[in-house]
Amino acid sequence: MTTTTPKQRPLGGTGFAVSEIGLGCWQLGGDWGALPEGRAESVLQAATDAGVNFWDTADVYGGGTSERIIGAFNQMHPDAQRVIVTKAGRDASLYPDGYRRDTLRASIEASRDRLLVDTLDLVQLHCIPFAEIQRGAVFEWLEECRQDGLIRFYGASVETVEEARYCLEHTQVASLQLIVNLLRQDMAEQILPQAAQQDVGVIVRLGLASGLLSGRMRKDQAFAAEDHRNYNRDGAAFYVGETFSGLPYELGVDLAEQLKTFCPDGLSLPQLALRWLLDQPAVSSVITGASRPEQIRDNAAVSALPPLPQELHRQLSDFYHQNVRSHIRGLI
């Protein structure tokens, strides 16, 4: 695929202009398997060269390793247009029931130190328990951090439609990070219109369903022991929907093969999947993981592809409701 600089969109009402295709940085911490020496930096350089200015990380990715790598790279290769967002709330000092003002603030300050910045662009709550979201104190503490100059904006990465709707209706989040893809369309139908109406930025994660929508996975595929696609395949470690969108792996492989039949001539399955997401006007950026430079270059090029026909959108919706939705495990 020819490398093309991705278009940019506003991240809700933040004033940030972010690339339609972003870079997810979980894998840079080694949590999906160790990367060769220098590979993380080459991925970040490839993202920079491709115009991917939106990078998403978290304090728990590699125990802070991902943030440290990004911080060092950003200091050596500064870019005024780059937007680096991180997440807080899953560190052992907080999760699952240690949420206090001082511990959250300390977590945010530690991320700031690792990323080597005075003020974090955006901090998102990292899939914290819904009961904590409803209690509401975490948002008061985030607002205090914003007023104190530790962060510019705050948002929430959530797992279910109910959590997303609650945040929209009861908090002042600037952004929501949501699980949306061709194999998990409920957020697109139920949440994206409301987010757009309220000018809340939408960051899509798992747009390729943990790699299912790459179209290259086999039923007998082996994953590294530390890869969540191995240890959380059935939700043993955390929310089942975070891995393969909650679908049983073998079924997910079959469904991905069926989706290939919808691809127009010249379009691959990952291109179809990413273009479908970019056709949702409420989406600000789709973060895609990349463990090799060519992956982020190829993903970024989808931004230049034309929108999918409306009839194809209808067919993909029908396919989801008829063949996929009933098999998703966990709350949608």
Side-chain angles (χ1 to χ4, degrees):
M1 187 190 299
T2 302
T3 300
T4 304
T5 300
K7 300 173 184 176
Q8 294 185 343
R9 298 184 181 186
L11 182 61
T14 65
F16 291 134
V18 297
S19 51
E20 290 185 336
I21 298 295
L23 177 65
C25 298
W26 187 0
Q27 73 287 353
L28 301 188
D31 292 325
W32 290 41
L35 296 179
E37 182 73 23
R39 177 67 65 78
E41 291 78 8
S42 67
V43 168
L44 295 177
Q45 186 61 57
T48 299
D49 294 342
V52 174
N53 77 325
F54 186 67
W55 299 358
D56 174 273
T57 186
D59 57 355
V60 294
Y61 292 169
T65 298
S66 177
E67 288 183 330
R68 282 190 289 269
I69 290 172
I70 292 170
F73 183 93
N74 189 52
Q75 189 171 67
M76 291 183 64
H77 309 280
D79 183 345
Q81 302 303 311
R82 186 177 293 139
V83 179
I84 299 172
V85 306
T86 193
K87 296 185 285 294
R90 296 288 291 202
D91 181 87
S93 66
L94 291 159
Y95 185 83
D97 55 8
Y99 294 93
R100 300 190 309 274
R101 173 186 281 105
D102 59 338
T103 50
L104 180 61
R105 188 183 186 96
S107 179
I108 289 172
E109 289 176 339
S111 287
R112 188 179 63 161
D113 292 343
R114 286 189 291 266
L115 286 167
L116 302 176
V117 295
D118 294 327
T119 304
L120 296 165
D121 290 333
L122 171 68
V123 170
Q124 304 164 98
L125 295 174
H126 195 176
C127 300
I128 69 172
F130 190 26
E132 285 295 333
I133 290 177
Q134 292 173 305
R135 189 162 71 94
V138 285
F139 297 103
E140 296 176 10
W141 304 334
L142 286 171
E143 178 60 26
E144 290 173 4
C145 289
R146 189 191 68 79
Q147 293 180 9
D148 290 345
L150 297 180
I151 62 178
R152 292 187 174 87
F153 299 97
Y154 58 86
S157 179
V158 298
E159 295 169 334
T160 68
V161 166
E162 183 182 16
E163 291 169 349
R165 183 174 292 115
Y166 186 92
C167 287
L168 288 173
E169 294 178 352
H170 299 282
T171 79
Q172 298 299 313
V173 291
S175 68
L176 285 174
Q177 187 171 130
L178 310 173
I179 304 172
V180 194
N181 58 60
L182 284 173
L183 297 174
R184 200 177 182 93
Q185 298 184 24
D186 285 63
M187 288 285 194
E189 298 169 353
Q190 300 182 45
I191 296 300
L192 295 194
Q194 185 176 353
Q197 185 178 37
Q198 296 179 211
D199 203 18
V200 171
V202 171
I203 304 162
V204 169
R205 72 181 187 277
L206 292 171
L208 294 179
S210 305
L212 280 178
L213 294 172
S214 71
R216 294 189 295 270
M217 288 194 170
R218 309 179 313 276
K219 291 185 179 179
D220 62 351
Q221 189 149 342
F223 301 100
E226 60 269 36
D227 190 325
H228 73 103
R229 294 174 294 182
N230 175 34
Y231 66 81
N232 196 58
R233 182 177 296 205
D234 297 311
F238 44 82
Y239 175 55
V240 68
E242 295 284 354
T243 303
F244 304 127
S245 286
L247 290 167
Y249 176 67
E250 291 78 8
L251 174 62
V253 173
D254 286 338
L255 291 169
E257 285 298 311
Q258 294 173 44
L259 279 169
K260 289 180 180 179
T261 65
F262 291 93
C263 292
D265 289 343
L267 212 62
S268 67
L269 180 58
Q271 288 175 318
L272 174 73
L274 293 176
R275 188 62 252 178
W276 178 84
L277 287 166
L278 294 181
D279 286 352
Q280 316 299 324
V283 168
S284 302
S285 186
V286 180
I287 57 173
T288 58
S291 55
R292 300 189 307 276
E294 59 270 21
Q295 290 175 314
I296 190 60
R297 289 194 291 263
D298 287 351
N299 291 339
V302 174
S303 182
L305 297 176
L308 303 175
Q310 285 303 308
E311 175 60 19
L312 179 53
H313 274 279
R314 185 192 64 77
Q315 293 171 355
L316 292 169
S317 174
D318 289 346
F319 176 83
Y320 173 71
H321 285 282
Q322 295 169 11
N323 300 281
V324 181
R325 192 177 188 277
S326 63
H327 299 288
I328 294 174
R329 297 169 297 181
L331 294 173
I332 296 178

